Amino acid sequence: MTVADNALQSLGGYPVALVIFAGIAIFLVLRLRAVLGKRVGFEKPQSPPPGRAAAGAGAPVIEGQALPAQTGRDVPDPRSELGQRLMQIVNNDPQFDPPHFITQAEAAFRAIVTGFANGDRAALQALLTPHVYETFAAAITAREAAGERQRTEIKSIPSISIEDAQLSGDLAVVVVRFISAQTNEKLDQNGTPIPGSAETGDVSDLWTFERHLRGPDKNWRLAAARSA
């Protein structure tokens, strides 16, 4: 038997076939890990339904489905204290999806800011709790009595983040911070800008949304709002 034959039969005292199979096994394990990745995001423990797309790396995950990451739209890490409080809401409401909730909150923010500027009481009533609606309606009435109107333009919303979350009984509460670039000015009864009333710049708001998980109303409503 030649030296080459001996090398094929044994490598460092081990059968060459065993070494080859071990190498193939390691390669397959590494490939499988690369394909499957790790569990990330607000994923529930049960397996996703058949046919559900696999999670994309780094994307938020709910019910085994990856959602595209959005710049400036921050969802807390589910391993954090805040993330665990959000998970309490997820576990009690299968329809609650934190990334989608941020999208809904942005739409509500735009609708409420615009509705208040336009004095659209009907639009506001559908989005606010009764107490907050009364406050907004009173401000609109006072503005109308003064013969003034409001013009507001939301130029952009570069940042939206969930700042807090609580579940008390069946009442779910989520606090959201909005950083928006706005232009605001007051108009007189003829629609002419009132001198010195124009304001342009970034606005930081903390809005508190709430919903009774067992109630008939499935909509989240604004329960408090303040600048911060």
Side-chain angles (χ1 to χ4, degrees):
M1 182 177 294
T2 66
V3 174
D5 292 333
N6 288 331
L8 290 175
Q9 292 295 324
S10 176
L11 185 61
Y14 292 93
V16 68
L18 181 60
V19 174
I20 292 173
F21 284 127
I24 293 174
I26 293 173
F27 172 79
L28 291 176
V29 168
L30 292 176
R31 288 293 296 168
L32 185 61
R33 180 181 178 83
V35 171
L36 295 180
K38 298 180 179 180
R39 290 163 58 94
V40 296
F42 292 86
E43 185 176 10
K44 292 191 176 181
Q46 64 265 29
S47 301
R52 185 65 63 87
V61 176
I62 285 261
E63 297 286 354
Q65 181 178 15
L67 293 108
Q70 295 182 319
T71 302
R73 305 298 186 257
D74 297 331
V75 177
D77 188 324
R79 296 167 295 184
S80 68
E81 182 178 348
L82 175 53
Q84 289 298 305
R85 294 200 296 272
L86 278 172
M87 278 303 300
Q88 291 180 352
I89 301 176
V90 171
N91 292 332
N92 282 272
D93 179 9
Q95 303 302 316
F96 181 69
D97 170 346
H100 184 58
F101 172 83
I102 288 182
T103 300
Q104 292 177 314
E106 178 176 357
F109 180 83
R110 292 180 181 275
I112 291 170
V113 170
T114 302
F116 177 72
N118 295 337
D120 189 343
R121 292 176 175 81
L124 293 174
Q125 194 165 21
L127 297 167
L128 312 177
T129 61
H131 173 71
V132 175
Y133 171 74
E134 289 177 4
T135 302
F136 276 53
I140 292 172
T141 299
R143 190 173 66 204
E144 292 171 344
E148 296 178 349
R149 294 160 52 193
Q150 177 80 21
R151 176 187 292 163
T152 297
E153 179 185 359
I154 300 176
K155 295 184 177 298
S156 65
I157 306 178
S159 175
I160 303 176
S161 59
I162 295 176
E163 298 289 305
D164 197 6
Q166 299 289 339
L167 181 62
S168 178
D170 69 344
L171 179 64
V173 176
V174 180
V175 180
V176 182
R177 182 185 299 277
F178 299 91
I179 305 294
S180 60
Q182 297 185 22
T183 296
N184 293 278
E185 65 178 343
K186 293 180 180 180
L187 312 175
D188 62 23
Q189 58 186 357
N190 298 318
T192 303
I194 297 176
S197 68
E199 296 179 353
T200 299
D202 290 344
V203 180
S204 178
D205 292 296
L206 276 178
W207 283 20
T208 301
F209 295 91
E210 67 177 37
R211 184 169 84 82
H212 288 276
L213 302 184
R214 303 292 180 262
D217 188 355
K218 301 302 181 182
N219 295 321
W220 288 84
R221 294 178 182 267
L222 179 64
R226 66 182 177 90
S227 298

